[in-house]
Amino acid sequence: MKISVMQWIKLTCLALSLSQMLPAYAWQDTDQDGVPDIKDACPNTPANTTVMANGCVYQAEVKSSSIQCDLNDPSTYLAADCHNIETAIVYFEFAIAEVDLSQWKALALVKAFLDANTETRLTLVGHTDIVGTPEFNYQLSLRRAQNVKRILVEDYGFNPNRFTVVGKGISEPVADNHSSEGRRLNRRVQFIVNNN
């Protein structure tokens, strides 16, 4: 198959024009916040608003509840204040349902609580940040809670009937989803004592 000089020139011009269009599209900034649309996590930021690198409004401070137990000191796990199960929260990486090894300290607190309260049943409540569709986040939050239950049953040997698993998706944030720190705090599994 022979390509004429004219066809070669047309093909070259088409390739050049396409190569010039792609960078222009990639750097389009619809809301004019200085962050390209392709990387903008908050695409409708008001004009003249200071934003972070992800395009979301900068949040100066995110408050989280203080931990009453020392996660780095296993000798404190049996202390009376460590039996406040609200202090044990398992956090997750973005879009991941597997429990990271770093979170096993929180699970050790849950184990100590369950060992000290042998008749207690827990509801494991999974949560996500706001990134993604509601359906995806609901399924992700449910998988997170199921994975925590699996560890408590398979690795710690607790009866599976002691746990109820619930996924809440994006519906119950504890921090502002417009900051990376807030989203990190929202990706969690919490433990609620059942009063039944």
Side-chain angles (χ1 to χ4, degrees):
M1 178 171 138
K2 287 186 172 182
I3 298 178
S4 70
V5 173
M6 192 56 143
Q7 288 175 324
W8 180 252
I9 292 173
K10 287 180 182 178
L11 189 60
T12 304
C13 288
L14 178 63
L16 281 173
S17 65
L18 286 176
S19 69
Q20 296 301 315
M21 286 175 53
L22 292 176
Y25 175 75
W27 289 103
Q28 186 176 5
D29 183 13
T30 308
D31 61 358
Q32 298 181 351
D33 60 0
V35 178
D37 289 348
I38 198 164
K39 294 184 177 186
D40 202 335
C42 300
N44 297 319
T45 308
N48 299 321
T49 303
T50 303
V51 296
M52 297 182 299
N54 67 354
C56 294
V57 177
Y58 177 74
Q59 298 294 323
E61 185 177 329
V62 175
K63 295 182 181 181
S64 62
S65 60
S66 61
I67 302 295
Q68 297 175 7
C69 303
D70 185 355
L71 292 176
N72 296 311
D73 184 3
S75 67
T76 66
Y77 292 173
L78 297 177
D81 63 343
C82 284
H83 291 177
N84 178 359
I85 198 68
E86 292 178 8
T87 63
I89 300 173
V90 176
Y91 293 101
F92 293 83
E93 293 297 319
F94 174 71
I96 301 292
E98 289 74 33
V99 179
D100 190 75
L101 188 59
S102 67
Q103 298 303 305
W104 282 58
K105 291 178 183 179
L107 290 172
L109 288 176
V110 176
K111 179 186 183 312
F113 175 84
L114 291 168
D115 285 340
N117 300 278
T118 57
E119 299 299 314
T120 300
R121 295 173 183 262
L122 295 179
T123 298
L124 313 179
V125 185
H127 302 274
T128 64
D129 60 28
I130 201 165
V131 179
T133 66
E135 178 59 27
F136 172 81
N137 281 317
Y138 169 75
Q139 293 298 327
L140 179 60
S141 67
L142 191 58
R143 285 194 317 273
R144 286 174 174 170
Q146 289 167 338
N147 284 341
V148 169
K149 176 182 177 179
R150 182 185 48 77
I151 291 169
L152 292 171
V153 171
E154 294 177 9
D155 295 336
Y156 289 138
F158 291 110
N159 183 336
N161 295 328
R162 291 183 74 179
F163 308 107
T164 304
V165 174
V166 176
K168 293 287 188 173
I170 64 174
S171 65
E172 296 179 5
V174 293
D176 187 350
N177 271 302
H178 290 102
S179 72
S180 59
E181 178 64 10
R183 289 189 299 277
R184 184 189 68 78
L185 293 172
N186 288 331
R187 298 188 298 260
R188 69 197 189 281
V189 168
Q190 293 178 289
F191 305 88
I192 299 172
V193 175
N194 292 345
N195 293 325
N196 299 340

